[in-house]
Amino acid sequence: MEALKILSIIAISLFALLGIFLITNSKARIKGFGWLGLFFLLLAVNFVDGMLLLNGFYLELPKWAFWEDPNVLLYGPLIYFFSLRLKNIPISFRLKTLRHLLPYVIFMILVIIYHAISSAVQTKVLLLEIVEYRMGPRALWGVLPMFIHVLLYMTVAYKSLILHKNQLKQYYSFIEISWAFELVRMVLFIFSVSLAITFVQYFGKKEVFSILLLLLNIITVLLLFRILLLALRQPMFQTIRNEPVYGLSQEETQSLREKIENLLSKEKLYKKPELTVKDLADQLGVSQRMVSHIINQSMADNFYDLINAYRIKEAQRILNENVDPKFTVLELLYQVGYNSKSSFNTQFKKKTGMTPSEFKKLRKKLP
């Protein structure tokens, strides 16, 4: 079907462009969007593989068949890694991380073994069964585990983002996390529809399968356009210039920036656990949006990062000066404005490279 080919080519192009954009953009990589870029590139490869399969390419070159299939087991881990990086959790290539790639490695080994022991004729017979919709329900035993694997990872990532969103509520820092939710919802929807289409395919309903595949391509292209538009609106993907905002002069902008710094450094507003952008804006007598723009433009990535920077700096000062051996980390985190030990430990380690307890022990050893 010509329409299906055209839509597939559009989807492949969009997936590839978005993937390359996220991988090559330095700010995006720092935020963890590089994992997302790899995910989109793999989806582009998956669509290419599907087109080659349906157009008989692998019937001519059977030894090239099935090599892309293990990539499906990378989709879930990549989205999961992205959700961790969005929460500022580092991804290190240790056993704990590499175990997420074990299903992919096992599947790839099975593909290598299959090609080593199977003849080209046997592979062609299998490919013909797939292309002509003669695989039957037995094939679902091989496909279902892969879908379940992806959906489980997507669910975990989605729940992780919900938890992160709840932690950010008091800071009004929603831009990046909202886009992440949109993405995961999109992928979950696409994979759910793909699962339904796979059932139709393996039960031999060729006409229904073709219609559903066409609809899936249309939906995928529309959702991709939406994701692209949302991505391009993200501050991290835009060039930030040190220029006035909202009609303010350079002097007025600088004055407002200094007032923000004064409220935080001298009046220590950051010690208020429920401090929000609105609180800061009310103190200054300006709009929340204006405060957010000035912070994002020249002070920090967002309000959330700025407040954390002040809190951790104050925590370091207190630990350096406090000599009371009974002084606890719990007392410290409440003093600087946190109400969650896990959030405090995460941010402290991100800023200093060690936990508050490690920092405290190190200070004791110094003369």
Side-chain angles (χ1 to χ4, degrees):
M1 191 182 294
E2 197 63 32
L4 181 59
K5 289 182 181 179
I6 294 172
L7 285 169
S8 294
I9 291 172
I10 294 173
I12 290 166
S13 301
L14 290 174
F15 277 134
L17 285 172
L18 187 54
I20 292 170
F21 172 67
L22 293 174
I23 289 173
T24 57
N25 186 289
S26 57
K27 290 183 179 179
R29 286 200 308 274
I30 292 172
K31 292 289 184 178
F33 283 84
W35 296 107
L36 209 53
L38 288 173
F39 170 77
F40 281 121
L41 284 180
L42 288 182
L43 283 182
V45 173
N46 179 267
F47 268 61
V48 170
D49 179 72
M51 284 188 66
L52 294 176
L53 176 64
L54 294 176
N55 287 280
F57 172 83
Y58 294 125
L59 291 174
E60 299 297 325
L61 298 167
K63 287 297 181 183
W64 287 81
F66 310 127
W67 291 105
E68 189 278 335
D69 292 355
N71 289 349
V72 175
L73 296 177
L74 291 176
Y75 296 165
L78 288 175
I79 292 293
Y80 177 63
F81 292 162
F82 165 64
S83 72
L84 291 181
R85 288 297 298 121
L86 205 62
K87 293 164 57 178
N88 294 316
I89 298 175
I91 305 296
S92 58
F93 288 97
R94 296 177 181 175
L95 186 60
K96 187 177 179 180
T97 303
L98 294 176
R99 67 183 179 182
H100 293 284
L101 308 180
L102 186 59
Y104 165 79
V105 173
I106 292 173
F107 194 0
M108 182 59 76
I109 291 172
L110 291 175
V111 172
I112 293 171
I113 293 172
Y114 170 81
H115 280 293
I117 65 176
S118 300
S119 66
V121 174
Q122 289 174 312
T123 303
K124 282 185 179 181
V125 170
L126 180 58
L127 289 168
L128 279 171
E129 287 186 351
I130 296 173
V131 173
E132 295 175 0
Y133 311 95
R134 292 189 284 108
M135 286 293 291
R138 72 181 188 278
L140 292 175
W141 291 107
V143 174
L144 273 176
M146 290 192 291
F147 274 102
I148 292 171
H149 180 271
V150 174
L151 293 175
L152 281 175
Y153 267 96
M154 294 292 176
T155 303
V156 170
Y158 193 75
K159 287 183 177 180
S160 175
L161 291 173
I162 289 176
L163 181 62
H164 187 46
K165 182 179 179 181
N166 291 336
Q167 292 173 343
L168 294 180
K169 276 184 179 179
Q170 60 178 316
Y171 301 109
Y172 290 96
S173 178
F174 293 113
I175 296 177
E176 292 168 21
I177 199 76
S178 296
W179 187 53
F181 270 104
E182 192 80 25
L183 166 78
V184 177
R185 279 196 294 266
M186 179 197 82
V187 174
L188 276 170
F189 178 77
I190 289 175
F191 272 94
S192 298
V193 176
S194 298
L195 181 58
I197 291 175
T198 301
F199 272 96
V200 173
Q201 178 186 12
Y202 289 133
F203 278 93
K205 306 295 183 181
K206 182 177 179 180
E207 295 76 14
V208 179
F209 171 76
S210 298
I211 294 171
L212 289 176
L213 191 59
L214 179 61
L215 287 174
L216 177 63
N217 275 268
I218 293 172
I219 292 169
T220 300
V221 169
L222 292 175
L223 288 175
L224 272 173
F225 272 118
R226 175 170 173 74
I227 290 296
L228 278 168
L229 289 174
L230 286 171
L232 293 174
R233 292 173 186 167
Q234 303 307 304
M236 74 172 66
F237 301 135
Q238 300 170 4
T239 302
I240 298 176
R241 295 181 294 275
N242 191 19
E243 59 185 21
V245 294
Y246 286 93
L248 296 177
S249 67
Q250 187 70 48
E251 291 74 21
E252 290 171 324
T253 302
Q254 178 62 27
S255 174
L256 191 53
R257 187 183 301 119
E258 289 174 356
K259 288 179 181 178
I260 293 173
E261 291 172 346
N262 182 66
L263 284 173
L264 294 174
S265 61
K266 293 184 179 179
E267 299 191 27
K268 302 185 185 298
L269 283 189
Y270 59 84
K271 289 189 175 183
K272 179 182 176 183
E274 301 301 324
L275 182 68
T276 65
V277 176
K278 184 179 183 303
D279 295 329
L280 205 55
D282 289 344
Q283 288 278 340
L284 296 167
V286 297
S287 70
Q288 297 179 52
R289 245 178 119 71
M290 185 179 291
V291 172
S292 294
H293 268 270
I294 289 176
I295 290 174
N296 296 343
Q297 186 186 64
S298 60
M299 301 180 75
D301 285 343
N302 51 50
F303 177 75
Y304 174 70
D305 287 337
L306 181 66
I307 299 304
N308 275 322
Y310 273 95
R311 287 175 173 172
I312 299 305
K313 185 178 179 181
E314 176 67 5
Q316 287 179 275
R317 184 193 68 76
I318 293 173
L319 285 174
N320 282 328
E321 296 178 1
N322 195 300
V323 293
D324 183 1
K326 295 181 179 180
F327 184 68
T328 66
V329 171
L330 193 62
E331 291 176 285
L332 174 64
L333 70 92
Y334 286 127
Q335 279 191 30
V336 298
Y338 285 98
N339 50 26
S340 166
K341 189 174 182 179
S342 61
S343 297
F344 176 56
N345 285 339
T346 299
Q347 291 300 324
F348 196 97
K349 189 167 185 177
K350 177 188 173 185
K351 302 290 185 186
T352 67
M354 62 184 79
T355 66
S357 298
E358 291 170 343
F359 188 91
K360 188 178 177 182
K361 289 177 182 177
L362 180 64
R363 293 305 304 164
K364 284 182 179 180
K365 293 178 181 178
L366 294 177

